[in-house]
Amino acid sequence: MRPVPVPAGLYHLRSPVALGRAVCVLLGSVAVADVLSIAFGVHARRLLGDRTEDGYATVDDLTWTHAEVLYQFAGALQGLTLLATAVVFLIWLRRVRRNAEVFDPVAHSMRPGWAIGAWFVPIGNLWLPYRVVRDVRTASELPGTPGGRSAFPGVLLHAWWVALVAAQLFGRYTSRRYEAAETLDEITDALDMVAFSDALDIVAAVLAVLLVRGLTAMQGERATLGPLAVG
């Protein structure tokens, strides 16, 4: 029988349901912004696809300016929705991490403050936040569930993290490529890559919704049992 070295009353259970719903709604707005970016990018790509025999684009300046404004609007919307989502997601993650400390304080490899701090560690943010969420999942599992602690679909956690890291890294690369593009071929290639990056971001957002809903529901069920019993 293992001891539970946690002072009584250090943390109290608080419902993450409202925050979880807010995160899911904001993740939906991120996906919508990504869809708009893809649509406006495809529109710009088609305009540049019509060329003369000499390789020059046939689009007039006014039409191209309009297309570029729409594309920049979609980019700004992506930034705003991503920022709002990140803030609320971190608040939600902090709450479920504190709840998980009550459920099972010895299931964590990192202290509660890392629920937020892990995202701001250069290079370390490629895996430290994953460890935080993994431990929250472990602590939030119902004791004695069929299959043990693996009853939660761990593949969802892995897929979300891979998609998130891939979308962030590839997104930074494609943004630099687009900003540095000068020729028509470079611009069209960059637009294609940005569209693919946006598609990755949509996948990451969908997986994040499933993850947030799953962990929130798990904690709701686990809360009915209270803190881990001390033998």
Side-chain angles (χ1 to χ4, degrees):
M1 196 69 72
R2 60 181 179 176
V4 182
V6 174
L10 180 61
Y11 292 115
H12 300 283
L13 293 178
R14 299 183 64 188
S15 174
V17 173
L19 284 173
R21 289 173 180 170
V23 172
C24 291
V25 170
L26 288 170
L27 284 167
S29 70
V30 169
V32 170
D34 288 332
V35 170
L36 288 177
S37 177
I38 293 174
F40 293 148
V42 169
H43 175 61
R45 178 73 168 77
R46 288 176 177 173
L47 292 177
L48 295 179
D50 297 329
R51 306 186 188 184
T52 65
E53 294 181 358
D54 297 328
Y56 293 98
T58 59
V59 60
D60 61 88
D61 291 341
L62 182 60
T63 302
W64 173 249
T65 299
H66 179 67
E68 195 172 26
V69 167
L70 288 176
Y71 195 54
Q72 291 175 349
F73 166 76
L77 186 62
Q78 285 177 302
L80 288 174
T81 55
L82 182 60
L83 178 61
T85 303
V87 170
V88 181
F89 177 85
L90 288 179
I91 297 174
W92 169 84
L93 183 58
R94 179 174 179 269
R95 178 162 298 183
V96 295
R97 173 61 182 86
R98 289 195 168 192
N99 287 345
E101 187 78 9
V102 176
F103 296 147
D104 190 348
V106 297
H108 307 277
S109 58
M110 304 174 68
R111 296 181 66 83
W114 285 103
I116 294 178
W119 298 87
F120 299 96
V121 179
I123 300 179
N125 55 17
L126 295 177
W127 71 86
L128 293 178
Y130 166 83
R131 289 177 56 185
V132 173
V133 179
R134 178 200 62 191
D135 293 344
V136 170
R137 185 206 73 171
T138 299
S140 302
E141 284 281 4
L142 286 171
T145 51
R149 293 192 183 278
S150 62
F152 181 89
V155 65
L156 173 60
L157 173 60
H158 306 325
W160 163 70
W161 188 248
V162 170
L164 178 63
V165 172
Q168 293 299 313
L169 294 180
F170 192 66
R172 294 173 188 174
Y173 170 73
T174 56
S175 294
R176 290 195 295 267
R177 284 290 299 271
Y178 181 76
E179 293 173 358
E182 296 180 355
T183 67
L184 287 178
D185 288 336
E186 289 175 344
I187 294 174
T188 53
D189 289 344
L191 286 171
D192 291 339
M193 288 190 292
V194 172
F196 181 73
S197 174
D198 291 337
L200 278 178
D201 202 47
I202 292 173
V203 172
V206 171
L207 292 173
V209 168
L210 297 177
L211 181 75
V212 169
R213 292 184 62 181
L215 280 178
T216 300
M218 283 176 59
Q219 290 210 338
E221 295 177 357
R222 182 64 180 81
T224 61
L225 301 180
L228 185 70
V230 180

